[in-house]
Amino acid sequence: DVKVTQSSRYLVKRTGEKVFLECVQDMDHENMFWYRQDPGLGLRLIYFSYDVKMKEKGDIPEGYSVSREKKERFSLILESASTNQTSMYLCADSGTPGVYTFGSGTRLTVV
Amino acid sequence: KQEVTQIPAALSVPEGENLVLNCSFTDSAIYNLQWFRQDPGKGLTSLLLIQSSQREQTSGRLNASLDKSSGRSTLYIAASQPGDSATYLCAVRQSGSARQLTFGSGTQLTVLP
């Protein structure tokens, strides 16, 4: 089975800090995704990548960037964290067409 | 733009009941539909995947159906147990080059002992 690992379960950061959220998958899959989940708003796509160094904006990319230097790792970067980026961040990958596997999530609090 | 709706938002049932969760989507040009389970504070666990050419999928006590033309899917849970308590999310992937999923807002299920 595919394993998607997010490096941190909980993070607390200060406003203005640069924040890195890391996600690693172990199956050499091409597609990886970053979502955020907020009460009342559901899951919203931030960015996704379909290959090394390839990325596309999702529905809410503002304030975020991503990096994919190696196929197994997809990083989400908050350039200057703000309190409205407090959220649950979920990474996913997709290998076999349409089969998505999610990580366990990172609960980020920006104070 | 695809929109996915799940009704009801919350459901509470006594243990042992059979229940149905509903999912509807506005654009029938989907590649597949997936049902997920999410426990509080955790990530999503995939339950069932239905390809657009399929009508239903079964796994244990779970059965998911898909009626693409009417834009509906149901998740049937037989003989519910307290351990089934969680939020259930459906998500669709569009046909064509899109790779991402569009999610519904979920149904929060509580199974009472």
Side-chain angles (χ1 to χ4, degrees):
Chain A
D1 284 354
V2 177
K3 189 171 181 181
V4 177
T5 303
Q6 293 185 233
S7 54
S8 304
R9 289 281 286 125
Y10 300 95
L11 275 178
V12 180
K13 297 291 181 181
R14 296 194 179 277
T15 302
E17 274 193 75
K18 190 169 185 176
V19 181
F20 293 84
L21 302 183
E22 304 288 342
C23 177
V24 177
Q25 49 99 353
D26 64 356
M27 291 293 285
D28 201 37
H29 288 161
E30 292 181 342
N31 302 312
M32 297 186 76
F33 308 83
W34 275 106
Y35 290 85
R36 66 177 279 180
Q37 185 178 30
D38 301 286
L41 297 175
L43 278 91
R44 293 178 292 167
L45 181 67
I46 305 172
Y47 266 98
F48 68 97
S49 168
Y50 50 90
D51 206 344
V52 175
K53 298 189 186 294
M54 306 301 286
K55 61 186 179 184
E56 285 199 25
K57 294 179 180 179
D59 298 321
I60 51 163
E62 297 78 17
Y64 303 94
S65 62
V66 290
S67 172
R68 194 161 181 206
E69 298 296 320
K70 293 184 178 181
K71 206 167 189 180
E72 67 269 20
R73 186 180 299 270
F74 190 35
S75 303
L76 180 68
I77 304 159
L78 286 67
E79 297 290 343
S80 177
S82 63
T83 55
N84 63 13
Q85 293 178 310
T86 291
S87 187
M88 169 72 104
Y89 290 87
L90 293 161
C91 175
D93 91 333
S94 175
T96 305
V99 178
Y100 289 78
T101 302
F102 279 80
S104 54
T106 295
R107 172 77 64 182
L108 173 67
T109 302
V110 182
V111 298
Chain B
K1 183 181 176 183
Q2 178 73 271
E3 291 183 6
V4 180
T5 303
Q6 291 186 249
I7 294 173
L11 180 64
S12 184
V13 301
E15 182 177 3
E17 265 200 19
N18 303 324
L19 59 100
V20 174
L21 307 181
N22 296 294
C23 173
S24 61
F25 46 94
T26 54
D27 185 346
S28 62
I30 65 169
Y31 184 82
N32 59 38
L33 182 145
Q34 198 161 358
W35 283 92
F36 294 90
R37 169 187 172 136
Q38 186 177 31
D39 293 292
K42 302 288 180 63
L44 278 65
T45 301
S46 178
L47 297 173
L48 289 165
L49 171 72
I50 311 177
Q51 302 292 354
S52 61
S53 58
Q54 297 175 323
R55 296 284 294 184
E56 64 180 310
Q57 283 286 331
T58 298
S59 176
R61 294 183 294 109
L62 304 180
N63 176 277
S65 68
L66 174 64
D67 184 342
K68 203 172 70 165
S69 60
S70 68
R72 295 179 187 273
S73 176
T74 62
L75 179 67
Y76 175 82
I77 302 177
S80 59
Q81 302 170 357
D84 294 331
S85 298
T87 296
Y88 291 81
L89 296 144
C90 74
V92 300
R93 178 182 168 183
Q94 290 304 115
S95 298
S97 60
R99 294 172 172 84
Q100 66 268 36
L101 298 177
T102 302
F103 282 86
S105 52
T107 294
Q108 186 173 0
L109 173 66
T110 303
V111 180
L112 303 169

